[in-house]
Amino acid sequence: MAVAQVAERMVEHTIATGLNGAYQVLAVDMNRDERPDLLFLSTTAAELVWFENPAWQRHVIATGLSSMVYLDAADTDGDAIPEVALAHGFSNTLSEEFPGNISILTHQRDTAALWSIREIDRMPRSHRIRFVDIEGNGQPVVVVLPIAGVDGVGPDFRTPIPIFYYRPGEWTRMTVTEAEEGRMHGAFVTRWDGSRREAFLNASFLGITRNQYANGEWIRETLTKGDPAP
């Protein structure tokens, strides 16, 4: 079908207005009705909300949050409703006010009501958070990528940055690597080798790196190097 024909069939829908601090929208089925809803994150709001397809009713699932920066969603307990992994308490500034909270939200009986929220860890400057099915068994882990190391100082931030992950249920911090450097921004999840296992790519001052879990260990491959200039 030609692009022009597809464009003619598209209709604009206003889902919400007056949204401040808009930073991320994630399409995910939040209530097991096989329709993609929209999970919305604001960096300035204290509420985490989702909009229910098709009428786009607004539902608040968490309150009292601050400095939310990223989230991801995946079903980790097999009930066809996702858990939400959330990075909040974020700032480039290191202070007790911004501890780098990492939390898991789980639905209650009514998915449109408030969800339970459990903080599993804290790491200053935690910035990207992704579910990754590293073993291809339908049981994804949570991977967290800080934007810079805790000792990093701008503009170069030339200190190591850790990448770490958690297995659902255990929620114990484990290390992918401590070899990143500078600033790290972005994590792309993909099936890399034709198997069911997912890898993730990350971008930092070192370049773009593939991270894949195999035989009980992480294998990292530099796909393209970064620019070493200041």
Side-chain angles (χ1 to χ4, degrees):
M1 184 179 293
V3 173
Q5 291 177 296
V6 173
E8 289 177 359
R9 295 175 57 186
M10 292 184 177
V11 178
E12 181 179 299
H13 300 272
T14 299
I15 294 172
T17 59
L19 300 175
N20 297 318
Y23 193 74
Q24 184 188 8
V25 177
L26 180 67
V28 58
D29 182 2
M30 294 287 286
N31 57 357
R32 204 164 46 194
D33 66 356
E34 299 183 354
R35 294 174 175 174
D37 306 298
L38 296 178
L39 186 55
F40 169 77
L41 180 146
S42 163
T43 59
T44 59
E47 298 178 335
L48 184 62
V49 304
W50 64 282
F51 297 94
E52 183 178 353
N53 187 350
W56 306 114
Q57 299 99 323
R58 180 180 182 271
H59 303 299
V60 177
I61 62 172
T63 62
L65 299 168
S66 65
S67 304
M68 293 182 286
V69 68
Y70 212 75
L71 57 78
D72 201 5
D75 177 20
T76 63
D77 58 12
D79 67 356
I81 297 177
E83 282 62 58
V84 176
L86 175 67
H88 55 115
F90 169 80
S91 176
N92 278 312
T93 302
L94 296 175
S95 73
E96 293 183 358
E97 184 181 356
F98 304 106
N101 311 79
I102 302 161
S103 297
I104 303 296
L105 285 76
T106 305
H107 74 92
Q108 303 302 292
R109 179 172 298 181
D110 181 4
T111 58
L114 290 176
W115 290 29
S116 69
I117 181 166
R118 174 183 177 184
E119 182 180 294
I120 62 170
D121 203 359
R122 292 185 176 188
M123 173 64 72
R125 291 175 169 166
S126 291
H127 185 251
R128 288 291 179 262
I129 188 166
R130 298 301 308 270
F131 281 100
V132 189
D133 190 355
I134 61 175
E135 294 175 303
N137 58 6
Q139 299 177 354
V141 303
V142 174
V143 175
V144 178
L145 302 89
I147 197 170
V150 294
D151 298 322
V153 178
D156 279 358
F157 294 91
R158 293 293 184 186
T159 58
I161 315 171
I163 301 176
F164 43 99
Y165 71 108
Y166 308 84
R167 292 188 181 275
E170 302 173 8
W171 304 123
T172 300
R173 185 196 301 175
M174 295 179 284
T175 301
V176 176
T177 183
E178 295 180 342
E180 281 296 342
E181 184 179 287
R183 298 279 276 183
M184 185 162 53
H185 199 296
F188 179 73
V189 180
T190 181
R191 290 183 180 174
W192 187 262
D193 58 3
S195 72
R196 295 178 60 86
R197 296 179 303 165
E198 292 179 334
F200 71 92
L201 312 184
N202 72 274
S204 74
F205 282 2
L206 296 182
I208 298 174
T209 304
R210 174 183 64 90
N211 305 269
Q212 189 161 15
Y213 189 79
N215 300 319
E217 62 180 5
W218 286 94
I219 300 170
R220 285 168 49 81
E221 177 187 5
T222 299
L223 305 182
T224 182
K225 292 183 178 181
D227 185 347

